[in-house]
Amino acid sequence: MHRISNFTGSARHGWEKMTPSMGFGMSRSHNEIPITPPIKRPMGSTATSPALQPGTNVHLSFNVPFSSNLAGPEPSDVIYASPGAFARWTHPEGTEEGTPPHKLPVHSQNVDNLRALCKQLQESNGPNFGSTVVCSEPKPIPGLQRGPLKALVTNVCLSGETEQVHRMRGRIFNESPISLRCATVDIDYGLIIDPPSKGVKQTVLTHLDDIAALTKADIFLLQPKQIDETASFNGNPETSLDQRLRCTIYGDMENSEHAKTRVLIMIDQILQRHVDMMKVELSMHTLICGRQRRNIKLIESHTNTAIYFPPPFPQLFGYTPKGASRRAEDQIIITGERPENIVKAKSKLHDLAVNMRPFVKEVIVTPSKVDNIILERLDKVRKIIENNGSYVLLPPLGFQRGPIRVQGTDVLNVERTVREVMALAGQFYSASWWITHPDPSQRPPTHNDIKAMLSDICINSGAEISFEKLNFHIYGSDDAVKAAMMVINNIPFVKKSKYTMAVKLELANEHKEFVSGKKNGKINKIMSHSNVQIVFDGFNEYNFYIDVRGAQYDATKSGLELVELEMPASISFHVPDQYHKRIIGIGGQHIQRIMKKYSVFVKFSNAMDRGGIGKEEDDIKVDNVICRTPARNAHNLDLVKQEIMDMVEKVDADFVSEKVQVNRLYHRELISRMAEIEELSKKWNCQITFPSTEQASDLITVSGPEFQVPRAIDEFLGMVPEEHEVTFPAPPKLKQFLESSEFQTEVIEKLKTQYETKVTVAPVPNHDNPDVDMFSLKLSYTRNNAGALKDAIDFLLARLVPHDLDVTTVKGAIPRPKSDSFEESIPFFESRLLTRAEPPMDTDSPTRSHFGDETAERSSLFDKLRKPGSMSSITSFLNGRRTGNGSPASASMFKHASSNASKASLVSLESQGSYRNPWNDSGINLPDEEHHTPTSNGWPAPAAAARFDTKFSNSSSHGFFTSAPGDVTPRYDPRASVDSGRPSTSHSLSGYPAPIGPPR
C-alpha cells in the first residue's frame, strides 16, 4: 500500500484528495467479464461558457483545423488505391502544376460539408442563431510568425445565445474530420509481390480493400522512394530500407490508427504469425506498459510476441466516417509465432493488471485551454503519459466542463504528470478588451461587420474570439493572443474609442516569488514603468494567474513583454549523482560562485530526492540538474551548463540521444536478445529504447553520454546483419575462376578478413541470354561494417575483371560519386601544390555523413590497423595508446568534456539537429573566455565558441547551435515555433528563490 505521508509537502500539493483505486476492467477474448473501470468518462454534451452569463447574445469566431496542407500521394507512385481514394487525394487531370494541396477534392468536400452542416444548424436553431463559413489564407503579421502562412484556414462565426453557441461549436468540432493525417507503413517487397507476375498478390489487395471498407480510411500502396544512385548509397545502410514499398493511410486520428494496426497485423499473418486479443480497461494500458513501455518490451522479449495497444485518447473527437467501424478502446491485439507464446504474454499482462494499485487525482483546467491542449498539444500529452507510465483522461472536445483526471501507479508519477500537463496549460493565454466609451463620430459595427471583423481576426491570428456588447474575449496560444490584439488595435472604431484591456497568463505556483521579486519589487517596477496594473490571482493548487491590465494598447503590450521577460527560463540536464558534491563544493562554494557569476539559480536533485530509490534504473537517469533564470537572462543558461559540465569527466558528460534506423521487422529479433542489449547498455552507460509496436517505426533511440553514444551505436549495429547482392553474367573463364580454390583463398577469405564481409556464390537463371551463365554473389555483413561495402565490392570486381568480367553488366554495384568537374584532370598535374582531394571517409553510424577532420589524425599506420567501416577499432586503438587499454573506464582520465567532445556526435548534431530542443529557436553557443561578451541584443557573439570547434558550426539561419539536451526555454522573442515554449516544471518539487546577484 502506498504511504502518501512519506512524501514531503504532500498536504500542500493536495495529496489528501488522492485515493488508491483497485478497480479495473479486464477479460480474455473467449470469456469477457466486465468490471467497473477506475475512471469513468463524464457523460452529457451540454456546455456553458465560463466567461459569459447564460442567455447573453454573443458572436463566437473560431478556426476549424482541417489539415488543408495535407497533400496526397504522387499519382505516378500509386500501385494500388482503395475504392474512391485516388479521386479524393489527387488533382483531376488537366490541373495546373503547383496547385496547392487545399484544392484537393477531399479538402474541398470537407469545406462543403461544413457549410452544409452550418446551414442545417442555422435552420434548426431558429432565426436568432446565425452561422457563416469563411476560407482564406492568413496574412503575415509584422513581428509575429505562426508557422506556415500558405495553408488555407477555414473559419466559422456563430451568433446567438451563449449556451447555444458553445453547444453548436462543440457539435461542429465533433462532426467534422478535423484530425486528418497520413500514417505510413513500409512493407518489404518480397512479402506482397508475386514473383511470376511482378504484381501485388491478389489476397493482399483484397485484404486492403476489406480494411478500407471497415475503417473508411483511404489506403494507397506506393512505389519505393526515389534514390539518387550517384550519391545516396556511399556506404549508407539506410538506402536498403528505402527499397521497401510504402503503404500510406489517410484518415482521422482514430480510423487511420485502426487501419494502420490492421495493416501491421496483415504483415504478421503473411509472416505466419498467430493473432489473438484480450481486453483491459483503457485507463490501465499506459500503467501496464510502465515508463517508456519497459514492461511491454520485457514481455515481448520473453514471449517473442508483438503487442498492439489502441490509441490512448479515443472519442476525444466525436467524428466518425459514415459506415466506419471503430476499434474497441480496450482491445489489445497480440501476435506470436506459436499460440503458447500468446497465452504466456496474455498471462503476464493479466498479472500486471491484477497487481496494479492506481492512484487517481483530479485537477481543474480552464475549459478553453482543455480544448487548446486537445487540438494543439495532444502529442505532448501522449509523450507525457508514456514517459511517466500514467494516464490522463481529458473531457471530449467542446465539452467545456469537467476536470482533467490523472491516474498512475505511483504518487510521484502522478505528480509529475499533473505538473507537466499544467505546464502545457500555461502555454495558452486569454485576454479581454472592453470598449467602455465608443467614439460617437464612429458608426457602430453592424451584424455583418462584426462577423467579417471576427473572421478576419481569427484567420490572421489563430486565436478564438467571442464578441458581446462591444467586448472582445480572446483565447489561444501566447503568440495567437498577441497577434489578435495587434489586429484589434488596428480596427478604426476600436482605436478611436476608450477601452480597457487585460491579458491573463498562467504559471506554476512555485514561480510566484520568482516573478514578483523580493517584496514584489519586480512587479512594482514594471507597473510604474509601463502604467499597467498587474494582479496575481490564485487559480488552483498548481497554477496561478498573472493578470496584466491597462487602458492603452501600447502600455499593456509593453507591460506584458516586461512580465514575460521576468518569466522563468530554464534548462535541465543530467549529471551523474557522484559528481554533485564535487560541483557544489565545500559549503556550496563552487556552485555559489557560478550562480553569482551568471545570476542563475541551480538546483541539484539525487535519486533519494526524486523518490527513485529501489525503482527501475530509468528513473535514475532523468534530468537531475535544473538551472533557472529570468527570460531576459536566458543567454547565460548554456554558460552555466558549460561550466558545470567541465567538472564532469568525459565519459559521463552531456546526455544526448541519437536515432538508429533498423528495419522494424528485425526489432523482434533484437528484443529477444534483450539480455545482450542490457549488457551493452551497462558497458557504455547508454540506454537503448525501441519504438512501440503500433508505431511501425524503424528508429531506435540510443541515449547516453555524448562521448559514449557513438561507441554504443557501433556495437549495437554489430548485432544487425545485412546483405547486398551483386549479379553478373559469367563467361566460361570467369565461371571457372569462381569455382576454383584460388577464388576461395584470394577473394572470399580476404573479403572476410579485411572487410568483415562474407561472400556466398550461387548460380541464378539468365532469362535474357540462356547461353551465358548468371551468378549471384551475396555479401553478408553487420551494420557497423556497412561503410566497407563499397570498398568490398570494388575489391571484388577488381579481382574478377582480369577473368573476363564486363563491369557494365554488373547489377548491384555501387557507383562512386563524382566531386568537382575538374577532378579528373588533377592526376595529370602531380605536384606538392596540387594534390587530389580525397572523398569524405565512409562511416559506420547511420546518423552521420562523415567524422569531420579526424582523417588528419590517421596516418598510413592507422589506415592499416583500422578495418574499413569499423569505428570501434580505431577508437579503441587510440585509447589503448593513451591509457593502455580500450575499456570505457579507461577514458575517465580525460577530465574536461569541453576539450574531448565527440566530434562524431557534433557532426551528427549539425546534420540532423538530434539534440536541438523544439523550444529553443535561438541557437546559443558558448564563448572562449570565462566571461561572455554580449552583443547588442544580449546574446553571446557567435564567434566566441569554446565547447565546439568552428569547423562544426551550424550553417543554418540561426548562425550557431546549442548543445543543451534538456528543457531549454529561450527569451521571449518572436518565435516561429507553434509551441510557445512555456518552461516545464515536471522535475521541480520545491520553490525557487529569485536569482542570486545584485538587484535589477
Side-chain angles (χ1 to χ4, degrees):
M1 179 178 180
H2 295 293
R3 298 185 62 185
I4 301 174
S5 59
N6 290 339
F7 287 82
T8 304
S10 59
R12 177 169 62 87
H13 293 300
W15 287 112
E16 68 277 0
K17 298 180 183 179
M18 295 184 61
T19 55
S21 174
M22 284 294 293
F24 62 94
M26 179 175 178
S27 62
R28 301 211 176 189
S29 57
H30 302 292
N31 187 17
E32 300 183 2
I33 307 174
I35 303 178
T36 304
I39 295 183
K40 287 290 187 181
R41 187 177 295 279
M43 301 301 292
S45 59
T46 58
T48 59
S49 171
L52 303 174
Q53 295 295 327
T56 304
N57 286 328
V58 64
H59 296 269
L60 178 65
S61 181
F62 56 93
N63 296 332
V64 181
F66 267 138
S67 305
S68 59
N69 255 12
L70 182 61
E74 287 291 335
S76 58
D77 290 342
V78 176
I79 300 175
Y80 154 85
S82 58
F86 190 85
R88 283 191 291 269
W89 287 97
T90 58
H91 293 289
E93 291 185 7
T95 305
E96 294 182 5
E97 188 176 354
T99 303
H102 64 75
K103 292 188 177 181
L104 284 170
V106 62
H107 298 312
S108 301
Q109 185 62 45
N110 288 337
V111 175
D112 293 341
N113 293 341
L114 177 63
R115 294 184 191 275
L117 174 62
C118 289
K119 183 178 180 181
Q120 177 188 349
L121 295 178
Q122 186 169 344
E123 294 173 352
S124 61
N125 283 277
N128 293 329
F129 179 83
S131 63
T132 57
V133 179
V134 178
C135 295
S136 177
E137 293 183 4
K139 304 178 182 65
I141 298 177
L144 292 173
Q145 298 178 359
R146 313 177 23 253
L149 295 175
K150 293 297 183 182
L152 186 73
V153 176
T154 303
N155 176 266
V156 176
C157 187
L158 305 177
S159 57
E161 293 187 357
T162 301
E163 183 178 353
Q164 182 185 38
V165 163
H166 282 280
R167 187 169 64 250
M168 293 303 103
R169 170 186 175 272
R171 183 172 172 183
I172 288 173
F173 274 136
N174 286 290
E175 295 185 18
S176 302
I178 60 175
S179 59
L180 284 181
R181 61 192 61 199
C182 175
T184 303
V185 178
D186 294 319
I187 306 177
D188 289 342
Y189 187 87
L191 289 179
I192 61 174
I193 297 297
D194 189 21
S197 63
K198 301 291 185 180
V200 183
K201 297 177 182 178
Q202 186 59 41
T203 54
V204 173
L205 297 179
T206 303
H207 196 78
L208 292 178
D209 284 338
D210 294 341
I211 294 174
L214 179 69
T215 63
K216 299 304 176 183
D218 293 323
I219 303 177
F220 294 90
L221 195 61
L222 307 179
Q223 296 280 1
K225 298 177 183 178
Q226 296 295 325
I227 302 175
D228 183 4
E229 295 184 355
T230 62
S232 62
F233 206 149
N234 189 16
N236 188 0
E238 284 90 341
T239 50
S240 62
L241 300 180
D242 291 337
Q243 298 299 314
R244 295 175 297 177
L245 300 176
R246 295 170 290 155
C247 180
T248 57
I249 303 163
Y250 291 85
D252 64 83
M253 187 178 69
E254 288 195 52
N255 71 344
S256 62
E257 286 292 328
H258 187 191
K260 180 180 179 181
T261 302
R262 287 192 169 271
V263 170
L264 294 175
I265 293 172
M266 177 194 74
I267 296 173
D268 283 348
Q269 290 175 325
I270 294 174
L271 296 172
Q272 304 298 320
R273 298 174 73 91
H274 300 270
V275 182
D276 202 349
M277 57 83 67
M278 67 182 299
K279 291 191 175 183
V280 179
E281 164 59 31
L282 172 68
S283 62
M284 299 291 291
H285 289 184
T286 47
L287 279 66
I288 291 173
C289 292
R291 300 185 62 191
Q292 301 289 348
R293 297 178 66 98
R294 182 178 178 85
N295 295 340
I296 297 304
K297 292 305 175 186
L298 288 176
I299 293 176
E300 290 178 338
S301 66
H302 292 156
T303 60
N304 194 19
T305 56
I307 303 176
Y308 299 91
F309 283 86
F313 304 113
Q315 301 178 5
L316 282 184
F317 307 97
Y319 172 77
T320 302
K322 186 176 180 180
S325 175
R326 293 296 196 194
R327 177 181 175 182
E329 63 180 32
D330 58 352
Q331 184 184 77
I332 300 175
I333 301 175
I334 308 171
T335 64
E337 293 183 352
R338 294 190 297 272
E340 51 266 28
N341 291 350
I342 298 178
V343 172
K344 187 177 180 181
K346 292 170 69 173
S347 175
K348 287 180 177 293
L349 288 172
H350 179 272
D351 293 342
L352 281 175
V354 168
N355 295 324
M356 286 292 169
R357 299 202 53 183
F359 289 87
V360 179
K361 186 171 186 180
E362 293 186 353
V363 62
I364 300 297
V365 179
T366 307
S368 62
K369 294 189 177 184
V370 173
D371 287 352
N372 285 326
I373 289 173
I374 294 174
L375 291 173
E376 300 183 30
R377 302 287 189 271
L378 197 59
D379 55 338
K380 295 277 183 78
V381 178
R382 183 169 188 166
K383 187 175 181 180
I384 289 171
I385 64 176
E386 288 178 353
N387 289 341
N388 293 300
S390 55
Y391 182 74
V392 176
L393 179 71
L394 297 166
L397 180 63
F399 190 68
Q400 294 284 312
R401 189 172 58 187
I404 290 178
R405 300 175 187 175
V406 179
Q407 175 173 306
T409 58
D410 185 86
V411 172
L412 184 63
N413 292 339
V414 174
E415 173 78 358
R416 284 174 175 168
T417 303
V418 172
R419 286 176 175 268
E420 293 184 23
V421 171
M422 296 305 292
L424 290 181
Q427 297 178 7
F428 300 96
Y429 287 5
S430 61
S432 297
W433 194 308
W434 300 280
I435 299 177
T436 55
H437 297 85
D439 185 4
S441 64
Q442 294 286 324
R443 177 180 63 85
T446 64
H447 183 75
N448 291 332
D449 292 339
I450 293 172
K451 291 191 294 184
M453 172 184 64
L454 295 182
S455 295
D456 186 63
I457 296 171
C458 283
I459 289 173
N460 290 290
S461 67
E464 180 176 320
I465 301 178
S466 64
F467 182 81
E468 45 85 26
K469 298 178 181 178
L470 299 182
N471 300 327
F472 295 90
H473 300 281
I474 312 165
Y475 310 94
S477 65
D478 52 357
D479 282 344
V481 168
K482 289 186 285 188
M485 294 172 64
M486 185 180 296
V487 177
I488 292 174
N489 183 58
N490 293 323
I491 299 175
F493 95 92
V494 174
K495 203 166 189 176
K496 295 183 179 181
S497 303
K498 291 184 179 180
Y499 55 81
T500 59
M501 56 195 308
V503 184
K504 189 173 287 188
L505 293 67
E506 191 172 337
L507 193 63
N509 287 330
E510 64 194 43
H511 303 316
K512 185 178 294 184
E513 186 179 351
F514 186 96
V515 175
S516 64
K518 190 175 183 180
K519 296 183 179 179
N520 290 330
K522 294 182 182 179
I523 295 302
N524 291 335
K525 186 175 181 180
I526 294 174
M527 289 193 294
S528 61
H529 179 77
S530 301
N531 193 23
V532 295
Q533 184 182 7
I534 300 175
V535 178
F536 284 13
D537 187 13
F539 175 48
N540 59 24
E541 59 185 294
Y542 289 95
N543 286 9
F544 72 100
Y545 282 130
I546 302 176
D547 210 345
V548 182
R549 304 174 184 177
Q552 293 181 344
Y553 170 75
D554 292 333
T556 307
K557 178 184 176 182
S558 175
L560 177 62
E561 289 175 349
L562 291 175
V563 170
E564 287 181 329
L565 289 177
E566 296 299 334
M567 300 275 277
S570 62
I571 177 175
S572 60
F573 51 93
H574 178 83
V575 173
D577 290 357
Q578 65 264 27
Y579 295 97
H580 288 190
K581 290 183 179 180
R582 178 194 301 181
I583 297 170
I584 295 171
I586 300 174
Q589 291 179 355
H590 292 169
I591 200 62
Q592 287 287 342
R593 178 186 61 83
I594 294 174
M595 289 194 292
K596 290 179 181 179
K597 177 180 176 182
Y598 297 106
S599 294
V600 173
F601 182 78
V602 182
K603 179 178 176 58
F604 293 82
S605 65
N606 54 32
M608 185 176 295
D609 296 335
R610 298 189 304 272
I613 297 297
K615 299 182 181 296
E616 65 270 17
E617 293 183 2
D618 296 349
D619 191 64
I620 310 301
K621 294 183 181 179
V622 299
D623 292 345
N624 56 8
V625 180
I626 183 167
C627 306
R628 182 163 291 146
T629 189
R632 55 183 162 79
N633 192 41
H635 58 275
N636 278 337
L637 287 173
D638 263 8
L639 304 180
V640 173
K641 182 191 175 187
Q642 156 72 21
E643 197 150 336
I644 290 175
M645 297 310 295
D646 278 350
M647 304 181 198
V648 179
E649 293 179 355
K650 181 180 175 181
V651 292
D652 295 319
D654 284 346
F655 269 62
V656 295
S657 295
E658 292 252 15
K659 302 289 186 182
V660 180
Q661 192 171 11
V662 178
N663 191 320
R664 63 175 186 83
L665 293 180
Y666 195 74
H667 289 191
R668 298 169 184 175
E669 299 292 334
L670 294 172
I671 290 175
S672 65
R673 301 168 63 181
M674 189 61 73
E676 299 177 43
I677 293 176
E678 289 180 353
E679 289 181 8
L680 186 154
S681 301
K682 292 178 181 178
K683 176 181 178 181
W684 300 110
N685 192 26
C686 291
Q687 182 178 359
I688 299 175
T689 305
F690 289 85
S692 59
T693 310
E694 55 271 7
Q695 280 182 335
S697 173
D698 296 318
L699 299 178
I700 298 172
T701 304
V702 181
S703 56
E706 183 182 33
F707 181 68
Q708 303 284 54
V709 165
R711 302 180 175 196
I713 290 176
D714 183 72
E715 187 168 338
F716 175 71
L717 291 179
M719 303 171 64
V720 182
E722 279 202 353
E723 287 186 350
H724 184 80
E725 186 175 5
V726 178
T727 59
F728 50 83
K733 183 179 179 181
L734 180 58
K735 179 181 178 182
Q736 182 180 1
F737 177 69
L738 293 175
E739 296 172 351
S740 66
S741 59
E742 181 184 358
F743 177 74
Q744 180 72 27
T745 56
E746 294 296 325
V747 179
I748 293 182
E749 292 184 3
K750 286 187 177 180
L751 283 173
K752 178 65 176 176
T753 56
Q754 296 181 14
Y755 297 95
E756 295 290 327
T757 302
K758 180 181 178 182
V759 179
T760 305
V761 184
V764 293
N766 189 351
H767 300 288
D768 298 331
N769 188 0
D771 296 334
V772 179
D773 295 326
M774 181 77 73
F775 277 84
S776 167
L777 273 66
K778 286 188 178 181
L779 287 77
S780 304
Y781 52 92
T782 54
R783 279 281 299 278
N784 61 333
N785 291 314
L789 177 61
K790 171 186 257 294
D791 295 331
I793 293 178
D794 290 345
F795 173 84
L796 176 64
L797 297 182
R799 295 298 184 274
L800 298 182
V801 166
H803 298 275
D804 295 348
L805 172 67
D806 184 1
V807 292
T808 60
T809 61
V810 178
K811 296 180 180 180
I814 304 172
R816 190 174 294 276
K818 293 183 179 181
S819 59
D820 49 64
S821 58
F822 56 89
E823 178 190 322
E824 296 177 357
S825 63
I826 288 183
F828 299 101
F829 299 93
E830 296 292 346
S831 71
R832 294 182 182 274
L833 297 178
L834 291 175
T835 57
R836 295 194 65 180
E838 294 297 329
M841 200 65 149
D842 295 339
T843 64
D844 323 297
S845 173
T847 59
R848 300 179 178 83
S849 57
H850 59 276
F851 282 94
D853 203 23
E854 284 187 342
T855 53
E857 299 177 358
R858 297 185 182 130
S859 64
S860 59
L861 173 63
F862 290 165
D863 289 332
K864 292 178 181 179
L865 290 173
R866 180 181 183 273
K867 293 177 181 177
S870 173
M871 181 185 67
S872 58
S873 55
I874 179 65
T875 53
S876 61
F877 175 76
L878 291 176
N879 286 341
R881 288 176 61 87
R882 291 170 182 162
T883 63
N885 57 58
S887 65
S890 64
S892 64
M893 295 183 67
F894 300 119
K895 295 182 179 180
H896 298 290
S898 60
S899 60
N900 295 284
S902 170
K903 295 181 181 179
S905 297
L906 299 180
V907 174
S908 175
L909 166 62
E910 178 185 356
S911 60
Q912 288 196 353
S914 306
Y915 317 144
R916 291 296 301 274
N917 191 289
W919 295 350
N920 186 4
D921 297 330
S922 56
I924 304 171
N925 208 347
L926 306 181
D928 281 317
E929 297 79 18
E930 183 175 359
H931 299 280
H932 72 281
T933 304
T935 59
S936 58
N937 61 356
W939 291 88
R947 187 156 183 78
F948 304 121
D949 296 335
T950 55
K951 58 180 168 287
F952 296 111
S953 62
N954 199 336
S955 59
S956 67
S957 60
H958 300 295
F960 38 93
F961 58 88
T962 176
S963 64
D967 296 334
V968 184
T969 306
R971 301 183 307 164
Y972 284 81
D973 290 336
R975 292 180 296 272
S977 173
V978 177
D979 194 337
S980 66
R982 187 67 58 238
S984 171
T985 60
S986 57
H987 304 303
S988 308
L989 300 183
S990 62
Y992 292 90
I996 298 173
R1000 297 179 181 270

